Amino acid sequence: MASDLINLMNLSPKELGEFFVSIGEKSFRSQQILRWIYQFGVTDFDEMTNLRKDLRAKLKELCVIKAPEIVTEQQAMDGTTKWALDIGDGQLVETVLIPEDDRNTLCISTQVGCPVKCSFCRTGAQGFNRNLTVSEIIGQVFRAATRVGFSQNQEQKPISNVVMMGMGEPLLNLANVTKVCELLLSDYSFALSKRRVTVSTSGVAPVLDKVAGKLDVALALSLHAPNDELRNELVPLNQKYPIAQVLDSVRNYLDKSNANCGRVTIEYVLLDHVNDSTEQAQELVKLLRTIPCKVNLIPFNEHEGSGYKKPSNSRIDRFYKVLFDAGFTVIKRTTRGDEISAACGQLAGQVKDKLAKQKIEAKVN
């Protein structure tokens, strides 16, 4: 039965090698399969011409290579493209490609919805259902590559950067995210530099401590507030892991990382008259003074149902100036894909909120 077939896209490079050994083959076959899938975009075993015919027949009996299908595609005037992918059960996750002159950055999702529920984020408002599998995460990169080119297609510009900043909190899906990172970095797969793979977190401190020295990719911290009182409102996870604890975990991660060049990226969404005053900028300077970092200022991307507003340009500029004058590397993020709801904080997909359903059932019972 098809449901019994092993989806090779769910396996890390190491697991793929172990699989081939388990069926009586040499482990190097995994390298050939990885190249066919992730460098040439081939999912039909019959087209893998450097495999023996009997091996191809065996793989067809045991395995499948399956990524979620793209069901909708939207493109903004600036070239930003958003895809919705079907992960079954009537649910969709969203992936965004941001093209620039020197790179193609792909923003991918790691969960169906998000359990963190930051107050300004449309994804959290959709609720949360489950973690995405390895094939559902790496499959987003695969599907995007079918549109912009795989690494072996020199006539097209392949994906150069992958950021886990889409739907979900990556560190709450650690096992699968780790395998996806291994696939992104493998020389036989997408072969990205560790500095071009970024995991973003809202601050799951214990998990960040756990992966320090083991998962070496670029790190971004979604901070959004200069103190615990405000961050408790904006990022509810802060009530469990306050800023001081999170920043200690960030320092620990940086100490053991080569990918970050000693610096974390601080993501700070600017909300009009909420966290964007010059006084709050000065407070942020004091908070981050001992944290090697660069700061991305992200003007809030408005969406239906949110009570927050984007600050005026003058408020954004004043906030920026305080940080810049204090010696920080500061970037004012340009909004991309806003008209197709592809900008930061706007991804929603289609989520059946399992947590909400469980809460309702608990009340009934």
Side-chain angles (χ1 to χ4, degrees), residues 335-346:
T335 297
R336 301 286 302 271
D338 183 53
E339 73 265 35
I340 59 170
S341 296
C344 180
Q346 290 184 329

Side-chain angles (χ1 to χ4, degrees), residues 141-161:
V141 189
F142 177 85
R143 291 298 179 198
T146 64
R147 298 296 204 266
V148 300
F150 288 88
S151 62
Q152 295 303 310
N153 188 338
Q154 299 303 319
E155 295 178 359
Q156 295 173 298
K157 184 168 63 172
I159 295 161
S160 59
N161 297 67

Side-chain angles (χ1 to χ4, degrees), residues 283-297:
E283 193 175 0
L284 187 62
V285 166
K286 293 178 182 177
L287 178 68
L288 298 177
R289 186 162 282 154
T290 62
I291 304 292
C293 64
K294 64 178 180 180
V295 181
N296 274 351
L297 297 180

Side-chain angles (χ1 to χ4, degrees), residues 10-29:
N10 274 322
L11 304 183
S12 69
K14 180 181 178 182
E15 289 173 335
L16 193 54
E18 292 170 346
F19 164 75
F20 275 102
V21 171
S22 75
I23 62 171
E25 296 288 337
K26 300 292 186 181
S27 63
F28 79 86
R29 294 296 184 190

